[in-house]
Each structure stands twice: as C-alpha cells, then as structure tokens.
Amino acid sequence: MIITLRNGAAKKDADAVIKKIKSLGYAPHVSRGVDKTIIGMIGERAEKHREAFEAMDVVDHISEIEKPYKLASREFKKENTVIKIDGVEIGANKIVIIAGPCALEKKDIVVEIAHLIKACGAKGIRGGAFKPRTSPYAFQGLGETGLKLLVEAKKATGLITVTEVMNVNQIDAVVKYADIIQIGARNIQNYDLLKAVGKTRKPALLKRGMATTVKELLLSAEYIMSGGNHKVILCERGIRTFEDATRFTLDLNAVPVLKKLSHLPVFVDPSHGIGIREHVGSMAKAAVAAGADGLLIEVHPKPEEALSDGPQSLLPEQFEKLMLEIKLVAKAVGRQI
Ligand code: PEP
Ligand code: MN
C-alpha cells in the first residue's frame, strides 16, 4: 500500500512511519517530492496494517496498489522516473540513443565506433563482454578484457556505457567497469540474477524476454526494485511469434502500454527486434513515434567482420543518416535527442 504523508510533514514524523513499517517486517520505499512524501509499504498482506497507519497524525491518506508489480507501477509513482548518469538523463524529454557493436571485440574498433556514434549525437555506447550465444561454438565474448575496452571508449569520448551481465558472478566486474548493467532477454526470469542486481545501486537495463508478457517484464523489474535499486530501464527487443520473415517481432504496442502502466523509462532495441540491417532504421523511427525514451542500436564499421550480429548492425553512414531522421520524428512528437 502507499502511505501519503501530509504536505510539509516533518522529518521526524516521516521517520516514525518508516520505523513502524520496519518494525512490522516490511521494507519502506520512500519517495520525496517537493512537498509530498509518499512511502510504499510493500509486501505480502501489507494492507492488514492499514488502520494502524491511518491513526497516525502525519498520514494524509492510504491507497492500495492493485497491480501485482508495486514499485514499478504508475500507481506507486505518478511522475516519470529520470535516471541521471554523468549528465545524461534517461526518461526525460530528450531521447537517449545508445549504440555500438553487439560484442566488444578489438580496442581500435570499439574506440572508432565510440567516436563516430558520439559525433552523430549518441549519448552512450553498448557492447557485450559476456555474450549469450545460441550456439556454444559461437564467440562467447572477451570477458573482463572486453569490459576494459568499454572503459577505453568512455575515456576517449565521455559516452556512458552499457554491457550485459549473464550471471551473479559477473556482477562485480560489470559494476566496476560500466555505467549500466544490461540484463538480456534470456535472463529476464533469472530471479537470482535480478535479486543480485537489485542489491547494487547501478542503473539496470532490463530487456523483455522473447516469450515474456508485459506483466512479466514489470514483475521482473519489481524483483530489482524490491531490492532497493529503483533505477530500472525497461527495453522492448522483440518477441517470438509465428512470423519468420524477421528475426523477432518488435512489439511496439508495448511502448505506450508500458508508459501507461509504469513510471520507468522505456527503451526499444530495433536491431535485435527486426534483425535485418535494411529495416532497423524504420523500426527505430517507429519506436520514437510510439513514445520510446531511448534506443539501443547496433553499429559496426565492418559488419562482415563482426563476431556477432553483423547482419543487423548499421554501417556508420546509415547510423548518421538515421540520427538525422530520428531528430525529425522526435520533434514531431514533442521530443528532442
Ligand atoms: C544484446 O543486446 O546484444 C543482446 C544479446 O540482446 P538480447 O538479450 O535482447 O537478445
Ligand atoms: Mn546483438
């Protein structure tokens, strides 16, 4: 349930509510606005304590969150969550473009990509050091060596960095080297991993699984948030349907639906979503029109030599042209990049 305190409530009165929540064995989730403080008391059967809190003077009113995901819901938090990393705001009016190779490969290539995407207006670089490959014989990523390449790219350009974590043992390294932890489509229901990321305070980019519903995506976000890490970015990256003309079916329906149900920023990954270089741009523009807060796009200067996902990676000149087009679409829907 959500406990809304009276306007301008004193800190000691708010603390008394927090103490009471803790003494009942629940975790308080405090959100302080300009003059309103709301405290989420989340957990099994929290509502049975409603009257005890209603009796407190500092409490203005109490409401219940009907959705199974609580902290991730718009009922819990009305205003959009904005995640700030090195001056980049994710979830605000400006659409944040994060681009880069599928996998971190050679240093010169990663740094080259970083420079060229930055020149086009990207704010972040992506790239995997731990790669979830369908085949065990495919390139599995460079591990920590790859993470260091991401650091080099950041040093050279100032771009914020995103990289995937596949298991709990990799979290420390990813937290050390990157700005955003990516949880891939294949791990969205790896609940131990979600809980462990929830214990960090690093922003997490959570990709929808290829067979997860919007509700399941939000419940996975809830796993991270219930650990105290509220910096979650949701990412639509295509689901599996009967359609086989494209790699996946990019479910852009999810964008406005997620924006309505949740206050969390919503990204779209058109590269994995459609999986065909020629069409990535169309879906990127459609995602912006649908209300995405950011895009994750694969770019490679020599896609024929890329160790993974070359066929869906944009060439630098295609990315440059797309960024100009995205700017126009963003403007048409009242946004900027
Ligand atoms: C990726 O971003 O490189 C990736 C593996 O994505 P997904 O988990 O969406 O397949
Ligand atoms: Mn990829």
Side-chain angles (χ1 to χ4, degrees), residues 101-103 126-128 130-133 164 182-187 205 207-208 210 235-238 247-248 269 272-273 296 298 308-309 312:
C102 179
R126 57 143 293 143
F130 304 108
K131 293 302 303 174
R133 305 305 302 277
E164 178 165 355
Q182 176 172 321
I183 296 163
R186 292 155 188 82
N187 264 313
L205 183 122
K207 287 189 145 195
R208 181 182 182 183
M210 51 195 91
C235 183
E236 164 60 39
R237 49 76 72 207
R247 186 175 178 191
F248 293 97
D269 173 350
H272 292 87
L296 205 62
E298 287 183 343
S308 89
D309 285 348
Q312 68 192 31

Side-chain angles (χ1 to χ4, degrees), residues 8-281:
K11 184 170 179 306
K12 73 167 180 21
D13 295 330
D15 287 346
V17 176
I18 292 167
K19 199 169 155 206
K20 194 179 179 85
I21 293 173
K22 285 186 183 160
S23 73
L24 292 166
Y26 293 85
H29 296 272
V30 185
S31 162
R32 286 196 172 90
V34 183
D35 46 27
K36 255 200 174 55
T37 297
I38 62 170
I39 305 176
M41 176 171 160
I42 313 290
E44 203 89 272
R45 294 159 59 78
E47 292 73 22
K48 73 175 190 241
H49 302 288
R50 182 175 179 142
E51 282 180 11
F53 287 92
E54 270 171 347
M56 295 176 87
D57 268 350
V58 67
V59 173
D60 186 66
H61 64 274
I62 291 181
S63 49
E64 281 163 32
I65 305 174
E66 281 168 19
K67 296 283 189 303
Y69 39 88
K70 310 288 178 188
L71 302 169
S73 75
R74 275 266 182 221
E75 293 171 75
F76 175 66
K77 187 165 176 268
K78 301 261 173 303
E79 63 286 358
N80 289 336
T81 284
V82 176
I83 299 170
K84 297 190 183 103
I85 309 166
D86 289 352
V88 178
E89 292 191 337
I90 295 175
N93 183 266
K94 283 192 176 167
I95 294 163
V96 175
I97 313 294
I98 299 178
C102 179
L104 296 158
E105 303 165 10
K106 299 187 190 93
K107 180 176 161 185
D108 47 349
I109 292 208
V110 178
V111 173
E112 178 188 343
I113 296 174
H115 281 297
L116 75 87
I117 60 170
K118 182 169 177 171
C120 299
K123 294 287 184 287
I125 181 163
R126 57 143 293 143
F130 304 108
K131 293 302 303 174
R133 305 305 302 277
T134 305
S135 164
Y137 306 116
F139 175 60
Q140 304 285 306
L142 293 179
E144 192 160 346
T145 309
L147 297 177
K148 288 181 183 162
L149 300 185
L150 212 49
V151 175
E152 293 290 338
K154 178 167 185 153
K155 259 195 220 148
T157 57
L159 290 170
I160 61 170
T161 58
V162 185
T163 197
E164 178 165 355
V165 69
M166 292 209 306
N167 70 53
V168 173
N169 300 332
Q170 295 160 354
I171 291 181
D172 285 349
V174 169
V175 164
K176 178 171 162 198
Y177 293 112
D179 295 314
I180 302 176
I181 307 175
Q182 176 172 321
I183 296 163
R186 292 155 188 82
N187 264 313
I188 189 168
Q189 289 178 319
N190 178 343
Y191 299 117
D192 283 344
L193 182 63
L194 299 177
K195 281 185 204 166
V197 170
K199 285 193 189 129
T200 76
R201 292 298 174 262
K202 275 274 175 185
L205 183 122
L206 179 64
K207 287 189 145 195
R208 181 182 182 183
M210 51 195 91
T212 45
T213 63
V214 161
K215 183 167 144 191
E216 287 163 344
L217 167 61
L218 289 167
L219 280 166
S220 289
E222 190 78 11
Y223 260 94
I224 300 171
M225 298 175 85
S226 62
N229 183 358
H230 288 206
K231 294 181 205 153
V232 179
I233 303 158
L234 306 169
C235 183
E236 164 60 39
R237 49 76 72 207
I239 53 174
R240 190 158 270 175
T241 66
F242 54 81
E243 183 54 72
D244 64 0
T246 52
R247 186 175 178 191
F248 293 97
T249 296
L250 188 65
D251 179 18
L252 289 182
N253 293 351
V255 178
V257 171
L258 285 168
K259 292 298 295 176
K260 175 94 194 251
L261 294 174
S262 177
H263 52 88
L264 296 172
V266 176
F267 265 52
V268 171
D269 173 350
S271 303
H272 292 87
I274 195 157
I276 305 166
R277 177 181 308 129
E278 188 187 349
H279 302 311
V280 167

